[in-house]
Amino acid sequence: MNLDFINKLNPQQRNAVTAADGPVLVVAGPGSGKTRVLTQRIAYLIANEGVRPWQILAVTFTNKAAKEMDARVKSMLNEQATDGIMLGTFHSICARILRREAEHLPIESNFVIFDSDDQQSLVKAIIRELNLNEKLYRAQSVHASISRAKNELILPDDFPTNTYRDEVVKRVYTEYQKRLIASNAVDFDDILVYTAQLLENNPTVRDKYARRFRHVLVDEFQDTNLAQYALIKHLASHHRNIFCVGDPDQSVYGWRGADYRNIRRFEQDFPDAQVILLEQNYRSHQNILDVAMGVIDRASNRRKKRLFSDRGAGEKIFFYEARDDYGEASFVVDTIAQLVASGDFEPKDCAVMYRTNAMSRLIEEAFLQARLPYKLVGAQRFYGRREVKDMIAFMRLAHNPADEAALGRVINVPPRGIGEKTLTTLHMVARQNNTNAGAVLLNLAHGAESTFYKAFTGRAALPLADFGGMFANWHALTKTATVAELFDRIIHDINYKEYIIEDDSEESIDRWENVQELKRLALEYSTRTLDEFLENVALIADQDTITDANAPTLLTLHAAKGLEYGAVFIVGLDDGIIPHSRSFDEVEQMEEERRLFYVGITRAKDRLYLLRAIQRGGRGMAEETFPSRFMDDIPHDLIVGRTRTGRSMRGAPADIKWSLPTPPTSAPVIQALYKAGTHVHHPLWGDGIVLDSRMQDGDEIIDVVFESVGIKRLAASLANLKII
């Protein structure tokens, strides 16, 4: 085979691709070409080492990554040369093995895979049949405990019972496994657990696969859980040619069961492993990498890497401290508009990253206000989220009892025993009496004295009357209460917080934060009507902003892993957001928050903007914030920008000046008056700071950021600016 591709690799990449047999750990920094190394390693083994394709097992985490690797290997070798490689996700490869080896399992080879909804329904049914309190033992929470146990290879018999809740979970777990087997079914976790058990308990089967797979290659090794680690150890047990690529600094999925300590386990289990660091970064300018290293070098128990780039130092990192979270969102949108107008970036080159999904609301609204499209990754638009739609439906119903769509959505949220049959009867009674279902419910609030009470069975009448009573109170409140007071009353009456926070999972807490974010919007209507509030959210909700067009991307830091953008804006750099407040008392979680920030920083190729807000929480209940503790770890000489209050970031000099790059210009016709960092005053817009200045058509064109209106591009001869 032509070795040209090897000559194009840097020395560290070449060492990895051509490594001798035996265990190899490749610690790959961000943007260091790890997919390239993995695929070229496979090509090298087939073309140069005489390894047959069917002797290679390559495992990754997503179907997208598996397809990309497959396509790259095929483009390097001909189709026949790659035929037979077992390349796919952990789940797809394990499912294949299980179907082949079903005779050793408690299930048949034609087993079905229960999806998330199937799993939840099964757990819910078991909780009911065991006569357990469904409010105390929510299906989602119990299933999460079962899933965590499976990820750690803990079976029902071995499930530890330190509390009464543990005993309950153990009973449900035991029954859950029995039901799955009776249905000839597995859940996602079983696919891994059964395979790990199969290889552990059947030396003949283990030996068959371990002998077959002469080389085992694993991508994103830092994201493996204990079950996945056990699997690859078994599969590599004969030849010991295990090639793992990962970066413990990018392990940010602890809440999903990933265990970055597997890299340490690997080094203990394979003390003779070659460890190769990939430190050359092909993505980012050096200043961005230096900021990233300033943050990650403070993490404990890690192997230090020196990330370097041949792309030059690049621009310094831009820090912006907005007066509030509205100013933060406006600055992002204005700056993206300016970057695009300058011709240096396409809209799709820009990304806005935040810690939690709820933070997208103000940014989405700033884009809508500016009439600019955007793309949202990994989540629904704020107003499309289930809990947000629920609360808006409750408010709509209180405002207009005849709103059938709103009533249909929330009459059984949280579940209160009003089923389809009862609902059908409710609508029928309304039609027979020439009225609407809402009016019937309001009348049922009078209980047995209601003219409609006897139209329902006792079992149906009680929950309807209960709901009618709450509904009548909300409807009456719309005449006297503020929007926020009504919002709070509904949440309290239906016990919505307990319903939303089913467990302490990231997802549950995110959902409650979305409800709180909607409450912040409600607080802004303290002097405005419920009508105006509902009209505003309806108009925003109806705007279809998700598009494949050339548009900036909005996404969480978790969703950003593996992606890259020309200009990255990380918002919410306040203590309590990044790092998140729930990590304050947990050392492990705080370390993961640090890694998450590092992942965000290293997505940026050319420009990085770090933003925070002095006050956050909306205009109704703004609270003063403190800068993120992670800002202390960034070398101050790499940052430009000035805080809105004139005060410094923690420990940073107070006179950090604004600065943006000045594109090369032709010789000026007249003398430039302004430069980046100049403070100016405009008669209409007040004080501002010059971001950029250049000569064009005999005039000086300047970009100025004003406290009042954001960024404006002005011709100096016409702007009537005063230097202050």
Side-chain angles (χ1 to χ4, degrees):
M1 173 185 162
N2 188 333
L3 288 179
D4 276 0
F5 78 86
I6 287 178
N7 298 331
K8 291 176 186 166
L9 298 170
N10 68 43
Q12 292 171 315
Q13 290 174 328
R14 194 176 307 126
N15 288 345
V17 168
T18 62
D21 281 1
V24 179
L25 176 62
V26 180
V27 181
S32 61
K34 72 176 178 64
T35 308
R36 186 182 186 191
V37 163
L38 261 169
T39 51
Q40 296 193 1
R41 171 72 173 171
I42 296 171
Y44 177 81
L45 290 172
I46 293 170
N48 290 71
E49 299 295 299
V51 179
R52 309 304 299 274
W54 52 267
Q55 294 178 308
I56 293 175
L57 170 67
V59 197
T60 186
F61 271 81
T62 63
N63 289 313
K64 184 184 168 203
K67 278 181 189 155
E68 188 186 335
M69 280 171 66
D70 190 43
R72 286 204 201 183
V73 174
K74 281 179 175 152
S75 70
M76 295 169 72
L77 308 170
N78 65 51
E79 193 95 14
Q80 286 72 36
T82 62
D83 197 28
I85 295 175
M86 197 178 264
L87 194 161
T89 63
F90 273 99
H91 287 89
S92 67
I93 285 165
C94 288
R96 253 186 277 177
I97 292 174
L98 290 180
R99 292 199 194 277
R100 284 181 194 163
E101 307 297 337
E103 63 188 281
H104 302 285
L105 302 170
I107 48 173
E108 304 290 318
S109 63
N110 62 344
F111 60 80
V112 293
I113 299 170
F114 273 21
D115 66 15
S116 303
D117 287 345
D118 299 329
Q119 295 164 36
Q120 297 278 347
S121 302
L122 182 53
V123 171
K124 193 174 274 185
I126 293 165
I127 288 169
R128 279 186 187 155
E129 285 169 36
L130 292 175
N131 284 323
L132 296 167
N133 183 331
E134 288 182 60
K135 286 187 177 173
L136 274 180
Y137 303 104
R138 294 185 177 279
Q140 187 176 344
S141 172
V142 172
H143 183 265
S145 299
I146 293 170
S147 181
R148 273 194 297 273
K150 288 185 179 185
N151 283 337
E152 291 174 27
L153 294 174
I154 298 168
L155 303 176
D157 288 349
D158 307 319
F159 190 86
T161 52
N162 302 318
T163 64
Y164 179 67
R165 184 183 186 279
D166 291 343
E167 287 179 17
V168 170
V169 171
K170 182 171 183 165
R171 282 165 63 201
V172 177
Y173 185 4
T174 305
E175 187 59 29
Y176 175 70
Q177 282 309 106
K178 280 185 194 162
R179 300 281 182 94
L180 282 171
I181 292 165
S183 307
N184 194 33
V186 295
D187 64 15
F188 297 130
D189 299 314
D190 283 335
I191 294 172
L192 304 177
V193 173
Y194 276 146
T195 314
Q197 275 184 301
L198 175 74
L199 300 175
E200 176 78 39
N201 302 332
N202 293 273
T204 319
V205 176
R206 177 174 67 240
D207 211 39
K208 177 169 79 173
Y209 287 98
R211 281 175 185 278
R212 174 188 162 176
F213 295 126
R214 198 168 135 194
H215 286 269
V216 176
L217 300 94
V218 186
D219 189 14
E220 301 287 9
F221 184 55
Q222 76 282 346
D223 291 337
T224 52
N225 60 33
L226 208 54
Q228 288 159 333
Y229 180 62
L231 274 167
I232 54 182
K233 227 173 87 178
H234 286 315
L235 291 169
S237 59
H238 184 77
H239 297 286
R240 294 185 80 252
N241 293 329
I242 179 166
F243 185 93
C244 295
V245 183
D247 182 3
D249 291 340
Q250 293 184 72
S251 178
V252 294
Y253 294 128
W255 48 279
R256 270 195 340 212
D259 192 342
Y260 72 97
R261 288 168 301 196
N262 282 344
I263 289 188
R264 225 175 296 153
R265 287 188 183 107
F266 179 92
E267 293 181 283
Q268 286 163 0
D269 292 338
F270 300 97
D272 56 331
Q274 300 175 65
V275 179
I276 299 165
L277 299 183
L278 298 188
E279 297 171 300
Q280 182 167 354
N281 177 289
Y282 293 91
R283 176 186 298 152
S284 310
H285 286 297
Q286 191 63 47
N287 282 344
I288 292 168
L289 297 179
D290 288 347
V291 164
M293 283 186 288
V295 170
I296 203 65
D297 280 349
R298 296 290 299 275
S300 57
N301 299 321
R302 61 177 288 274
R303 183 189 298 277
K304 291 216 170 174
K305 295 191 292 291
R306 182 80 219 149
L307 302 178
F308 66 93
S309 170
D310 286 345
R311 295 195 61 217
E315 305 304 331
K316 290 194 175 182
I317 280 57
F318 203 86
F319 175 73
Y320 182 78
E321 188 175 55
R323 177 163 286 165
D324 58 21
D325 36 11
Y326 287 83
E328 182 182 57
S330 298
F331 178 86
V332 168
V333 175
D334 289 347
T335 307
I336 289 175
Q338 184 230 343
L339 290 175
V340 172
S342 72
D344 294 340
F345 293 88
E346 291 280 311
K348 67 182 176 193
D349 295 333
C350 304
V352 189
M353 298 175 188
Y354 34 80
R355 177 63 183 82
T356 62
N357 279 315
M359 293 182 73
S360 75
R361 178 181 73 91
L362 290 181
I363 298 160
E364 287 183 70
E365 289 183 9
F367 273 104
L368 291 169
Q369 214 170 348
R371 299 185 184 279
L372 294 172
Y374 63 91
K375 292 185 283 198
L376 199 64
V377 169
Q380 285 179 299
R381 290 177 305 112
F382 180 79
Y383 291 100
R385 293 170 193 153
R386 186 179 100 199
E387 55 278 9
V388 173
K389 290 176 88 164
D390 280 355
M391 285 310 303
I392 290 170
F394 276 115
M395 307 283 276
R396 274 172 45 188
L397 186 61
H399 176 61
N400 172 18
D403 187 333
E404 296 233 341
L407 178 66
R409 182 176 183 94
V410 300
I411 192 165
N412 206 35
V413 173
R416 52 177 64 87
I418 300 173
E420 286 298 317
K421 201 172 165 191
T422 305
L423 212 49
T424 306
T425 310
L426 175 65
H427 285 293
M428 193 178 72
V429 168
R431 276 199 304 277
Q432 286 168 350
N433 288 276
N434 213 13
T435 184
N436 58 65
V440 172
L441 278 169
L442 290 175
N443 191 280
L444 282 169
H446 300 296
E449 290 165 32
S450 162
T451 49
F452 300 117
Y453 198 82
K454 290 205 170 91
F456 300 91
T457 64
R459 198 172 166 189
L462 280 171
L464 286 173
D466 281 352
F467 183 72
M470 290 191 293
F471 177 18
N473 288 335
W474 304 333
H475 184 52
L477 261 182
T478 59
K479 314 285 191 294
T480 56
T482 65
V483 177
E485 285 165 350
L486 174 64
F487 190 95
D488 279 347
R489 178 63 180 269
I490 292 170
I491 291 234
H492 173 268
D493 286 354
I494 63 172
N495 211 353
Y496 199 58
K497 184 175 183 180
E498 191 184 301
Y499 172 63
I500 285 292
I501 304 186
E502 297 182 326
D503 52 31
D504 58 358
S505 69
E506 188 99 3
E507 187 189 359
S508 280
I509 292 160
D510 260 6
R511 289 178 61 204
W512 180 243
E513 283 177 357
N514 290 334
V515 175
Q516 294 299 93
E517 185 60 34
L518 188 63
K519 161 83 183 289
R520 287 187 197 110
L521 179 64
L523 279 160
E524 292 174 25
Y525 285 75
S526 54
T527 56
R528 290 150 79 193
T529 64
L530 179 57
D531 241 346
E532 290 173 288
F533 172 82
L534 292 172
E535 183 183 315
N536 179 30
V537 295
L539 288 174
I540 291 173
D542 286 343
Q543 297 238 16
D544 184 18
T545 55
I546 303 173
T547 169
D548 290 329
N550 183 0
T553 302
L554 277 55
L555 71 174
T556 64
L557 288 162
H558 279 106
K561 193 158 166 281
L563 304 175
E564 58 178 43
Y565 298 93
V568 166
F569 296 76
I570 301 178
V571 301
L573 275 164
D574 311 329
D575 242 29
I577 297 177
I578 304 173
H580 201 284
S581 54
R582 62 176 171 265
S583 68
F584 285 179
D585 301 326
E586 295 285 338
V587 175
E588 285 286 343
Q589 285 183 25
M590 183 61 80
E591 293 280 284
E592 185 155 316
E593 293 290 309
R594 181 180 292 282
R595 294 195 294 270
L596 193 58
F597 185 33
Y598 169 78
V599 163
I601 293 168
T602 54
R603 302 308 95 198
K605 296 198 278 191
D606 304 308
R607 300 269 181 91
L608 175 64
Y609 297 81
L610 304 176
L611 296 96
R612 69 171 298 264
I614 293 164
Q615 289 191 321
R616 195 174 289 281
R619 291 172 180 144
M621 53 177 228
E623 293 174 5
E624 185 123 347
T625 64
F626 295 96
S628 166
R629 62 193 68 190
F630 295 153
M631 292 302 295
D632 288 347
D633 305 327
I634 296 176
H636 294 134
D637 59 337
L638 295 179
I639 294 187
V640 290
R642 184 151 185 252
T643 67
R644 301 265 68 188
T645 51
R647 67 185 183 183
S648 68
M649 298 174 292
R650 301 176 170 201
D655 59 346
I656 297 172
K657 293 286 184 255
W658 289 85
S659 164
L660 270 181
T662 309
T665 57
S666 52
V669 180
I670 55 167
Q671 184 65 39
L673 295 173
Y674 305 92
K675 64 177 193 288
T678 304
H679 288 247
V680 294
H681 182 83
H682 185 274
L684 186 60
W685 296 322
D687 292 349
I689 301 169
V690 175
L691 294 177
D692 193 13
S693 158
R694 62 194 164 283
M695 305 309 298
Q696 188 179 309
D697 301 329
D699 203 346
E700 186 178 7
I701 305 299
I702 51 175
D703 293 318
V704 184
V705 61
F706 291 100
E707 179 78 47
S708 56
V709 290
I711 296 172
K712 294 288 180 187
R713 179 162 291 173
L714 308 165
S717 61
L718 305 171
N720 199 9
L721 288 175
K722 197 186 291 180
I723 295 176
I724 53 175

